[in-house]
Amino acid sequence: MKQSSLSHAIKLSIFATSIAASSYTPMLIAAEKGATESVERIEVTGSRIKRAAMLGASPVTTVTSEDIKVAGITRVEDLLNDLPAVFAGQTSGTANGATGTATVDLRNLGPSRTLVLINGRRMPSGSPSAGGISADINQIPAALVERVDVLTGGSSATYGSDAVAGVVNFILKDDFEGFQFEYQGSMYQHKNDHGDMKRALDDVGFEAPEKNVTDGNTHDFSVLLGVNSADGRGNLTGYATLREVDAVTQNNRDYSACAMNTDKSGKRVCAGSSTIPTGRFTDFDELDLTTNGNTFVERDGLLYNYGPLNYFQRPDTRKTFGVTGHYDLSDSHTVYTEMSYMDDRTVAQIAPSGSFFNESIDIQCDNPLLSEQQYNKLCDSRGLGRDDAVSMFIGKRNVEGGPRQDDLRHTSSRFVLGIRGEINDDWSYDAFMNFGSVAYVQTYENDLSIKRIGRALQAVEDDKGNIVCKSVVDGSDPSCVPWNVFDPSKIDKSQLDYLTIPLYSRGDTKTKQLSGYVTGDLTDAGIIVPGTSTGVGVVFGFEHRNEYLTLNPDGNFTSGDGAGQGGPTSGVTGEFDVNEFFTEFNVPLVEDTSYAEYITLELAYRYSDYSTDKQTNTYKTAFDVRFNQQVGLRASYQRAVRAGNVRDLFRQPSIGLFNWEDPCGAGAKNPLTKEQCARTGVTDSQYGSKALINDAGQYNSVTGGNPDLAPEKSDTYSFGILLSPIDNLDIAIDYFNITVSDAIQAIPEASIHNECAVNDIKEFCDLINRDPKTGSLWVGSNAITATDINIGEIETAGIDFDISYRHSLEELGSLRFTMVGTFLDKFSVQNLPGGDIDDCVGYWDRAVCEAPMPKLRTNLSATWMTPWDANLTAKVRYFGDTDEYTRDSKNEVVSGPTSLNAQTYFDLSGSWNVNSSISVRAGINNLFDVTPPLIPNGPSGVANGNVFPGSYDALGRYLFAGFTYSFN
């Protein structure tokens, strides 16, 4: 590597010495060198220009391998979610709507707007399934991570599409020599002492969990082996890991043991679904019956508690292995490679399937399965005879068949081959091929068939007096077995075997990246700003990338025949290519003057040409200023883009579910007027009807891709100040503002309904398809259409701060204090130009803001580095309070009934190097077992178990212990 004696870099390294000690530091320091030593040039995340110990104009938060060990983390996403700039994406706490992947979401702009890299190179799309296309960081073994660089704000000029919110770059160990074995075990422990939830459970007679529970065990094994070549010019590092995670079901926590909601007074109640084990027989008007044995009784509001069987933590088995290697062909040229493999299998379990009022069914009054009492109640008392029929909807929960299980398996492989080196003293190069693929297998078990339900409910007597399906008599389905929903105690295996169908889906994602660039130092060429001694640094590069995705669900998925699927799952196949040219310039403007040690200008540009006939230009301008060793400034502007991915562009429209409460229905917490509801298709007789309300809070929407999508773009402004007022105290404060325009996403269904009802906009009213008879948006296929478009804009702004201080205790070692945090000032969403602006700072909701966005998030840690090869760390994590975001009938923002209190967590951990080969560590996170704030009817896929598991510590106290054995 090239060495350069740059005077300002030497001074800068002195300024940076104490900053480098921070656990989470916003600046990456190359090295600490004396004034007479040469300074090695390194590549910092956010630029491909190698700099001499420069901090750079873009703030980069670094998480080290030691941070991961101290936190006791085996899932990398759990550690990243604790960073104030990171919001939870897909986690192990997702059940309904789980993709089986783990994602990272910077600035809450969505995982698809966060670019994830390994050693500066792209990861493949995580999964071809809905919601899973973002990079799956399950592929990254924690044991191999050297550090994680988190750069927030657009960086598309350097790395290309998707770096709208920023970049997460995993730097892996690639020069290990020797043998290392690590094991860590962990578990959760919780005391169930939530008095109000215990009262709610008792009120409806639901079983409460044991007072003290211990569960969720995780075992993580890793082996690392590295050898150097005999001539000392190469290294090969191999690894293998195994992680096994046990399931936790929601009946093991008192706050998740029932599906919680609130009544009009705000009192917590155990709610649930009206698809009940004893069956609900209703026309959503006058008829509302259930069974008691073989008799009909009034339902009287009876609901099914679907919570207990749902997974609070999914079981997971992950295996990874791979190698990294490099070999010096000469003093100037090095070939390198990375090969990795991951197999991850997890199961998402939710409540049993059933007949979910999927379609209206005519029950004949002479149905032989009806008891005499049931005939009288259903038919005779209403003036109907044996030859008549009653049209109704049936909701019957298949508790006899057990819970639904979504078995999700992802098998990924990645291969990198590259060469880097020096052309001469001033120019170097790097060129590589990067291939990544993911094979996806989904097996959905224990779901029922809508078609078979319809046939199985039409029971008749054959010529021999046997009770059979009508379809057996007419020959349309000889295998049909009648389903005795009129006396559930008579349901047997033969009925369930007929009704239950398998659902399978297979798919692949493939990413091909071919990239090469040269970087040069133009000092010797004389391209130097007058008054400086360092010339301009440049990068010129070209990149070709291909993205391919296919998803092939079987006929049971695509037909929508799965009763518990919420609609058909559409397949998708597509690909696109992009060719890109990029360049960067690093221009020293001032050096060693009376007013500044240096001022540097950074410029970057990238032109991208997509096979979808779209072209983009991205660019960056930044200044890095150091007045002296105590004060520095940095400022930047970046234009970033995100082109539509394959699912955005090519997936077919299909029906699914979203969380909501119809404001036109009975008992709605924020009701609209009759006139407003009429605009959405509600008749006078339907207004205020119970038929409009789904007790489970799930409604239908039609979503799909759009091949005409334009790339979305973002503008990021940042300004920071760096202070080191006294020895060993370093302060970094950065303001950020990110505006995403032409954002690729669907207009939220709730916003579509609101724009129609409140603002009477016809184009939105046309997207609402209510059932003509009941007015419902949750029964059958009636839905709100919300396909992807380029909508208005999203803007977020705030202040990041990072403070570190080191204090010597002399013979007792030293203390290190770090504090990182984000004050969020704005997160506004404007779905349409000129439309309403929803500012979600300090709020959560079910439709627009979803997960909580507090104004303040901070982490404060203190580490005692003892002279006895032991470190003790205490950390305090703070997550601010949020209110429920709601708009009333006047379209004004009001705070809803559910506020989420601020949460403070205390963590303790310690490590000890027993000798040169063995080290041990242990710790407790959430020391005081703080119960997470509870939410009623939370948004599906984000909330689970009445909490937001990605935002809060959902399972209680976390205990871990592990050891490392190594030798060289």
Side-chain angles (χ1 to χ4, degrees), residues 156-157 160-162 545 578-582 605-619 639-644 709-714 744:
S156 287
S161 178
D162 304 336
R545 181 164 55 91
V578 58
N579 293 310
E580 301 178 299
F581 165 78
F582 58 91
Y605 172 78
R606 177 179 291 248
Y607 172 78
S608 305
D609 186 7
Y610 290 85
S611 59
T612 55
D613 198 28
K614 301 291 190 300
Q615 295 81 36
T616 63
N617 297 277
T618 57
Y619 35 86
R639 163 64 60 89
V641 298
R642 183 178 81 86
L709 289 172
E712 63 184 22
K713 51 186 177 290
S714 75
I744 298 173

Side-chain angles (χ1 to χ4, degrees), residues 116-118 121-125 135-137 139-140 414 511:
V116 182
L117 309 172
I118 297 178
R121 293 174 280 273
R122 283 177 174 264
M123 294 182 64
S125 297
D136 181 9
I137 56 178
Q139 298 176 24
I140 300 169
R414 183 171 174 269
T511 296

Side-chain angles (χ1 to χ4, degrees), residues 465-596:
N466 298 316
I467 298 176
V468 296
C469 298
K470 182 180 178 181
S471 59
V472 172
V473 175
D474 64 24
S476 59
D477 185 359
S479 64
C480 179
V481 179
W483 190 23
N484 194 353
V485 295
F486 307 106
D487 185 358
S489 66
K490 299 295 178 59
I491 294 175
D492 59 26
K493 186 176 183 297
S494 65
Q495 298 174 41
L496 299 180
D497 287 346
Y498 170 72
L499 292 169
T500 304
I501 56 172
L503 296 100
Y504 302 103
S505 186
R506 304 291 185 267
D508 295 279
T509 74
K510 296 180 181 179
T511 296
K512 176 175 68 176
Q513 182 186 15
L514 305 175
S515 183
Y517 61 90
V518 294
T519 178
D521 181 344
L522 303 182
T523 303
D524 292 343
I527 303 179
I528 304 173
V529 174
T532 66
S533 60
T534 305
V536 174
V538 297
V539 166
F540 299 102
F542 176 82
E543 183 170 305
H544 170 81
R545 181 164 55 91
N546 174 268
E547 298 284 351
Y548 170 83
L549 180 148
T550 184
L551 179 68
N552 298 302
D554 69 356
N556 288 332
F557 264 127
T558 58
S559 67
D561 193 35
Q565 299 303 306
T569 299
S570 298
V572 58
T573 297
E575 67 178 313
F576 65 84
D577 299 284
V578 58
N579 293 310
E580 301 178 299
F581 165 78
F582 58 91
T583 184
E584 293 184 55
F585 297 89
N586 187 279
V587 185
L589 300 176
V590 172
E591 270 185 28
D592 296 327
T593 68
S594 59
Y595 57 89

Side-chain angles (χ1 to χ4, degrees), residues 362-674:
D362 291 334
I363 298 297
Q364 296 296 131
C365 290
D366 64 352
N367 188 310
L369 294 176
L370 288 172
S371 69
E372 191 66 23
Q373 185 272 346
Q374 288 174 328
Y375 164 75
N376 291 332
K377 182 79 171 177
L378 185 65
C379 300
D380 186 64
S381 64
R382 305 171 73 195
L384 302 176
R386 295 284 182 180
D387 294 332
D388 295 315
V390 178
S391 180
M392 66 175 71
F393 293 90
I394 296 178
K396 166 66 177 82
R397 183 71 62 167
N398 180 33
V399 293
E400 299 82 7
R404 285 168 284 173
Q405 291 195 325
D406 195 4
D407 190 329
L408 302 163
R409 187 170 188 172
H410 294 85
T411 304
S412 69
S413 57
R414 183 171 174 269
F415 172 71
V416 173
L417 179 64
I419 183 169
R420 61 177 178 255
E422 296 180 353
I423 301 171
N424 54 37
D425 288 345
D426 297 320
W427 291 89
S428 60
Y429 69 94
D430 192 346
F432 61 85
M433 301 180 295
N434 174 23
F435 300 95
S437 66
V438 175
Y440 171 74
V441 177
Q442 178 187 18
T443 305
Y444 202 100
E445 300 174 338
N446 278 357
D447 205 359
L448 304 188
S449 162
I450 296 174
K451 291 179 180 178
R452 295 185 183 186
I453 288 172
R455 296 169 187 162
L457 291 173
Q458 302 296 334
V460 298
E461 288 187 356
D462 64 10
D463 294 340
K464 299 179 182 180
N466 298 316
I467 298 176
V468 296
C469 298
K470 182 180 178 181
S471 59
V472 172
V473 175
D474 64 24
S476 59
D477 185 359
S479 64
C480 179
V481 179
W483 190 23
N484 194 353
V485 295
F486 307 106
D487 185 358
S489 66
K490 299 295 178 59
I491 294 175
D492 59 26
K493 186 176 183 297
S494 65
Q495 298 174 41
L496 299 180
D497 287 346
Y498 170 72
L499 292 169
T500 304
I501 56 172
L503 296 100
Y504 302 103
S505 186
R506 304 291 185 267
D508 295 279
T509 74
K510 296 180 181 179
T511 296
K512 176 175 68 176
Q513 182 186 15
L514 305 175
S515 183
Y517 61 90
V518 294
T519 178
D521 181 344
L522 303 182
T523 303
D524 292 343
I527 303 179
I528 304 173
V529 174
T532 66
S533 60
T534 305
V536 174
V538 297
V539 166
F540 299 102
F542 176 82
E543 183 170 305
H544 170 81
R545 181 164 55 91
N546 174 268
E547 298 284 351
Y548 170 83
L549 180 148
T550 184
L551 179 68
N552 298 302
D554 69 356
N556 288 332
F557 264 127
T558 58
S559 67
D561 193 35
Q565 299 303 306
T569 299
S570 298
V572 58
T573 297
E575 67 178 313
F576 65 84
D577 299 284
V578 58
N579 293 310
E580 301 178 299
F581 165 78
F582 58 91
T583 184
E584 293 184 55
F585 297 89
N586 187 279
V587 185
L589 300 176
V590 172
E591 270 185 28
D592 296 327
T593 68
S594 59
Y595 57 89
E597 290 195 351
Y598 71 86
I599 300 176
T600 301
L601 170 65
E602 299 178 17
L603 301 170
Y605 172 78
R606 177 179 291 248
Y607 172 78
S608 305
D609 186 7
Y610 290 85
S611 59
T612 55
D613 198 28
K614 301 291 190 300
Q615 295 81 36
T616 63
N617 297 277
T618 57
Y619 35 86
K620 164 189 172 182
T621 302
F623 289 93
D624 189 12
V625 182
R626 295 295 179 271
F627 296 108
N628 50 47
Q629 296 180 19
Q630 288 75 42
V631 181
L633 296 176
R634 57 189 174 199
S636 66
Y637 162 72
Q638 302 197 56
R639 163 64 60 89
V641 298
R642 183 178 81 86
N645 57 48
V646 174
R647 288 193 61 87
D648 293 333
L649 296 170
F650 302 118
R651 78 185 189 279
Q652 296 299 309
S654 63
I655 194 168
L657 301 174
F658 73 101
N659 275 78
W660 189 50
E661 180 187 65
D662 194 331
C664 300
K669 295 183 178 69
N670 297 282
L672 295 173
T673 66
K674 182 181 289 188

Side-chain angles (χ1 to χ4, degrees), residues 828-860:
S828 62
V829 180
Q830 186 181 40
N831 287 317
L832 289 170
D836 295 330
I837 297 177
D838 299 294
D839 194 342
C840 295
V841 175
Y843 289 103
W844 73 275
D845 81 337
R846 299 175 183 84
V848 180
C849 305
E850 294 192 332
M853 280 181 267
K855 292 182 179 180
L856 181 63
R857 293 176 64 183
T858 61
N859 292 338
L860 172 64

Side-chain angles (χ1 to χ4, degrees), residues 11-240:
K11 295 176 181 178
L12 179 57
S13 66
I14 299 172
F15 168 82
T17 299
S18 58
I19 296 179
S22 174
S23 297
Y24 298 120
T25 174
M27 295 149 287
L28 181 64
I29 310 305
E32 300 174 14
K33 298 179 179 294
T36 60
E37 292 184 272
S38 61
V39 180
E40 184 177 3
R41 293 175 177 262
I42 64 167
E43 187 174 306
V44 180
T45 297
S47 173
R48 286 194 166 102
I49 291 180
K50 292 179 170 59
R51 306 108 178 277
M54 288 184 61
L55 301 183
S58 299
V60 178
T61 299
T62 296
V63 181
T64 69
S65 58
E66 288 304 312
D67 297 324
I68 296 174
K69 291 181 180 180
V70 165
I73 297 299
T74 60
R75 294 185 293 249
V76 177
E77 71 271 19
D78 292 343
L79 179 68
L80 294 178
N81 285 341
D82 283 341
L83 294 177
V86 177
F87 288 75
Q90 281 277 331
T91 70
S92 61
T94 307
N96 197 354
T99 65
T101 63
T103 60
V104 58
D105 181 359
L106 289 175
R107 302 295 188 201
N108 206 32
L109 292 174
S112 63
R113 296 189 179 104
T114 297
L115 179 60
V116 182
L117 309 172
I118 297 178
N119 294 331
R121 293 174 280 273
R122 283 177 174 264
M123 294 182 64
S125 297
S127 176
S129 64
I133 198 169
S134 302
D136 181 9
I137 56 178
N138 275 319
Q139 298 176 24
I140 300 169
L144 200 66
V145 175
E146 182 70 33
R147 71 176 195 272
V148 187
D149 291 346
V150 181
L151 184 149
T152 61
S155 195
S156 287
T158 301
Y159 297 112
S161 178
D162 304 336
V164 172
V167 173
V168 177
N169 189 10
F170 290 87
I171 308 299
L172 304 184
K173 300 173 183 176
D174 67 348
D175 211 7
F176 181 80
E177 184 180 11
F179 172 83
Q180 176 180 290
F181 173 78
E182 286 191 327
Y183 167 77
Q184 181 171 295
S186 62
M187 63 181 181
Y188 291 97
Q189 186 274 327
H190 177 68
K191 182 179 181 182
N192 287 305
D193 57 359
H194 197 292
D196 196 42
M197 282 304 298
K198 178 66 165 58
R199 186 267 314 152
L201 291 166
D202 291 342
D203 285 348
V204 291
F206 290 161
E207 183 179 356
E210 296 179 4
K211 186 143 188 161
N212 286 284
V213 291
T214 301
D215 53 20
N217 293 344
T218 297
H219 301 280
D220 193 58
F221 305 84
S222 69
V223 174
L224 194 60
L225 179 65
V227 294
N228 289 330
S229 62
D231 58 8
R233 302 178 69 164
N235 176 271
L236 193 66
T237 299
Y239 68 89

